[in-house]
């Protein structure tokens, strides 16, 4: 019997989660799954591979199971590894990476109970070329191998940010990607450092600098001047108010008014705003989809940065660390948007603008903490360039990711969904906006696994 082939391009969290969900499918299948990942191990990806214990997850352990159908899978793993009463704790990201790695690794040793066989390729993909019948595609790998595939899934994760301004070449002292191996190794303990952005990435960079004994002046520049809100202790769930207050609203202003009203009502009952916003999580995709493109664009221009600070929160100990640094004066905050960087004597000049006022700052090192590159019109990865050029993937008009249907199938130039090309993870932000956290990604993996199962031949 000829076996079907699924090729997953990317073996970080999303690709690994899809593989694990495929292995847990009920039934019997005559199919092989190829995972293409150049990093040394499957599972951790960029997000969970940093060997720094001070980098904490920003979600409690009880919400981080890799398996959608087993909510306690991660806490059970922690218990098996000697960590008790862990459900409400914030653990190091490297520990979570170990958990994902240990969950996906057994797939490579023997076939799954449902008959699926898993293979790993320690390289990257350079091209996907559909055959003339559009029933399969040839996946070309950097090491020269080719995988004839019935279904191809892009699980490429996040791409490093571009410089904040156009620069002919990267000047010494500028660090465009704080997650690159050894990115901060050249920063001496007394060097002045300027961070662009004040989100979770900036918090991690500051924690890393403290861990290495940094004592120099630190400046953070951001357009809004806000830090991620801190998590509170465990809170009782707030009842959903989507159906009676938000369903059918088609403008950002309408939704904002309704949410503010609900927060005020909750406050009168002594309930914090955090559970109110958390209750929206299952419905965020529907709220986003109900807005026409001009309203989505309005949200991105005026509210997206603020939304990120209240939606993606920081562990209490991290928030306390930032507050202490600001109070001591070691960390200074500057509100403004970076307009230009230029080399200066033993450092960089950073020109910013806020409310029409121009300011020039100086630092020995400048670190971009602005988040990943989501604009698929600008990503220069060879695979993305090839697929974009040949119309196999379409960047969305708001430049948040890739156009897909509800199953994650890539939309083609003629508007129809591809029968064999899929994606999951951050690339699906155009459909639901929220597509970066573990709960959303694992559900995408579970749903896509079920969808692919319906396309596979039974054994």
């Amino acid at each position: 019997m000829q076996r079907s082939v699924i090729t997953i391009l990317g073996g970080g969290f999303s690709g690994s989660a899809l593989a694990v969900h495929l292995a847990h499918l009920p039934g019997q299948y005559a199919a092989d799954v190829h995972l293409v990942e150049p990093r040394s191990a499957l599972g951790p990806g960029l997000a969970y591979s940093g060997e720094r214990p001070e980098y904490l997850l920003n979600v409690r352990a009880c919400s981080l199971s890799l398996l959608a159908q087993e909510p306690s899978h991660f806490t059970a793993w922690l218990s098996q590894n000697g960590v008790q009463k862990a459900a409400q704790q914030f653990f190091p990201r490297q520990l979570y990476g170990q958990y994902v790695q240990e969950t996906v690794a057994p797939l490579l040793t023997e076939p799954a109970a449902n008959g699926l066989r898993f293979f790993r390729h320690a390289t990257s993909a350079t091209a996907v070329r559909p055959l003339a019948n559009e029933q399969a595609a040839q996946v070309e790998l950097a090491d020269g191998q080719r995988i004839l595939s019935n279904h191809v899934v892009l699980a490429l994760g996040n791409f490093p940010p571009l410089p904040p301004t156009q620069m002919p070449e990267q000047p010494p002292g500028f660090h465009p990607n704080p997650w690159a191996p050894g990115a901060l190794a050249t920063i001496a303990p007394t060097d002045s450092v300027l961070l662009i952005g004040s989100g979770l990435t900036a918090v991690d960079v500051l924690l890393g600098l403290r861990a290495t004994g940094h004592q120099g002046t630190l400046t953070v520049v951001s357009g809004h001047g806000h830090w991620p809100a801190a998590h509170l202790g465990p809170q009782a769930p707030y009842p959903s108010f989507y159906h009676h207050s938000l369903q059918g609203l088609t403008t950002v202003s309408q939704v904002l008014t309704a949410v503010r009203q609900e927060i005020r009502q909750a406050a009168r009952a002594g309930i914090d705003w955090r559970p109110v916003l958390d209750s929206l999580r299952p419905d965020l995709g529907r709220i986003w989809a109900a807005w026409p493109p001009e309203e989505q664009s309005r949200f991105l221009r005026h509210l997206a940065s603020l939304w990120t600070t209240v939606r993606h929160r920081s562990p209490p100990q991290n928030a306390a660390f930032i507050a202490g640094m600001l109070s001591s004066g070691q960390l200074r905050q500057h509100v403004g948007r970076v307009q230009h960087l230029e080399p200066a004597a033993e450092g960089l000049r950073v020109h910013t603008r806020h409310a029409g006022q121009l300011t020039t700052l100086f630092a020995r090192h400048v670190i971009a903490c602005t988040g990943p590159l989501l604009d698929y019109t600008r990503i220069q990865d060879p695979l993305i360039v090839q697929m974009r050029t040949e119309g196999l993937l379409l960047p969305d008009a708001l430049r948040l990711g890739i156009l897909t249907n509800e199953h994650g199938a890539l939309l083609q130039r003629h508007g129809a969904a591809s029968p064999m090309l899929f994606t999951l993870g951050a690339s699906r932000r155009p459909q639901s906006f929220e597509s970066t956290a573990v709960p959303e990604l694992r559900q995408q993996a579970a749903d896509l696994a079920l969808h692919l199962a319906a396309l596979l031949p039974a054994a």
Side-chain angles (χ1 to χ4, degrees):
M1 177 184 296
Q2 185 175 1
R3 297 177 68 86
S4 185
V5 174
I6 299 172
T7 299
I8 303 172
L9 304 182
F13 178 85
S14 294
S16 297
L18 176 58
V20 170
H21 280 89
L22 285 169
H24 281 74
L25 287 170
Q28 289 292 310
Y29 304 95
D32 294 337
V33 180
H34 294 259
L35 290 114
V36 179
E37 170 55 57
R39 295 184 181 91
S40 60
L42 295 176
L46 180 64
Y48 308 115
S49 58
E51 297 181 358
R52 303 200 70 101
E54 63 271 14
Y55 290 172
L56 299 182
L57 297 159
N58 68 317
V59 178
R60 291 184 171 86
C62 58
S63 299
L64 288 173
S65 170
L66 181 63
L67 292 170
Q69 69 272 28
E70 296 183 34
S72 62
H73 192 262
F74 179 44
T75 52
W77 180 87
L78 288 168
S79 179
Q80 293 165 8
N81 285 272
V83 183
Q84 304 296 325
K85 298 180 180 179
Q88 300 302 326
Q89 295 186 43
F90 298 91
F91 285 95
R93 290 214 299 268
Q94 66 177 16
L95 180 66
Y96 190 69
Q98 179 185 343
Y99 156 69
V100 180
Q101 180 178 340
E102 291 185 7
T103 303
V104 72
L107 302 184
L108 303 175
T109 61
E110 59 183 358
N114 59 16
L116 291 177
R117 301 184 307 193
F118 292 82
F119 304 90
R120 191 268 169 96
H121 303 266
T123 184
S124 57
T126 57
V128 173
R129 304 195 187 279
L131 304 188
N133 61 10
E134 296 189 350
Q135 299 302 307
Q138 196 79 257
V139 178
E140 300 176 3
L141 306 184
D143 63 4
Q145 294 185 73
R146 296 187 177 190
I147 307 172
L148 184 61
S149 309
N150 302 95
H151 307 287
V152 180
V153 181
L154 304 183
L156 301 173
N158 291 314
F159 291 88
L162 293 176
T165 62
Q166 293 291 331
M167 293 183 289
E169 60 182 28
Q170 182 177 313
F174 178 63
H175 307 264
N177 180 13
W179 304 118
L184 310 182
T186 59
I187 300 177
T190 57
D191 284 346
S192 58
V193 180
L194 183 146
L195 280 61
I196 304 173
S198 59
L200 293 169
T201 298
V203 175
D204 281 344
V205 168
L206 291 171
L207 287 164
L209 289 172
R210 179 188 66 171
T212 58
H214 187 268
Q215 301 171 358
T217 59
L218 297 164
T219 303
V220 168
V221 177
S222 67
H224 50 71
H226 299 290
W227 292 91
H231 281 287
L232 296 181
Q235 304 287 304
Y238 191 82
S240 173
F241 59 100
Y242 172 79
H243 290 289
H244 66 76
S245 297
L246 299 171
Q247 189 173 19
L249 301 185
T250 57
T251 71
V252 175
S253 296
Q254 290 172 339
V255 171
L256 187 60
T257 299
V259 171
R260 283 174 169 168
Q261 181 177 341
E262 196 72 27
I263 289 174
R264 287 193 294 268
Q265 179 177 318
R268 289 193 289 270
I271 299 172
D272 186 74
W273 58 266
R274 291 166 179 82
V276 179
L277 292 188
D278 292 343
S279 73
L280 295 174
R281 189 164 193 164
D283 304 301
L284 290 173
R286 290 191 285 186
I287 294 170
W288 171 259
W291 292 338
E294 60 270 19
E295 287 296 313
Q296 293 178 346
S297 179
R298 181 173 290 112
F299 174 82
L300 294 175
R301 290 196 309 272
H302 301 295
L303 286 176
S305 295
L306 179 60
W307 169 253
T308 298
T309 66
V310 298
R311 168 70 181 82
H312 300 285
R313 299 171 204 141
S314 192
Q317 55 267 54
N318 287 3
F321 162 70
I322 295 298
M325 291 193 72
L326 289 168
S327 177
S328 70
Q330 184 184 1
L331 175 63
R332 297 177 295 183
Q333 193 158 0
H334 178 81
V335 177
R337 298 192 180 278
V338 173
Q339 303 294 300
H340 183 58
L341 295 176
E342 61 182 6
E346 299 186 354
L348 291 163
R349 289 192 188 91
V350 183
H351 302 280
T352 71
R353 179 188 294 272
H354 178 67
Q357 181 176 352
L358 296 176
T359 304
T360 299
L361 306 171
F362 173 85
R364 178 67 183 82
H365 295 270
V366 174
I367 307 172
C369 303
T370 51
L373 175 61
L374 303 170
D375 182 357
Y376 272 70
T377 68
R378 305 176 71 189
I379 293 171
Q380 296 304 306
D381 177 85
L383 172 67
I384 299 303
V385 171
Q386 178 262 328
M387 295 186 70
R388 183 176 65 218
T389 302
E390 298 182 15
L392 301 177
L393 65 77
L394 300 179
D396 70 303
L398 296 176
R399 301 188 175 187
L400 292 176
I402 302 173
L403 292 177
T404 67
N405 71 0
E406 68 276 13
H407 300 298
L410 272 57
L411 299 187
Q412 309 291 273
R413 280 176 175 165
H414 48 70
S418 170
M420 58 182 174
L421 303 179
F422 298 85
T423 190
L424 78 164
S427 56
R428 289 191 62 182
R429 288 192 80 197
Q431 186 186 46
S432 59
F433 184 69
E434 288 287 342
S435 190
T436 56
V438 166
E440 284 78 28
L441 299 188
R442 72 176 174 222
Q443 191 60 53
Q444 286 183 21
D447 293 344
L448 182 53
L450 284 172
H451 183 71
L452 291 172
L455 305 175
L456 295 178

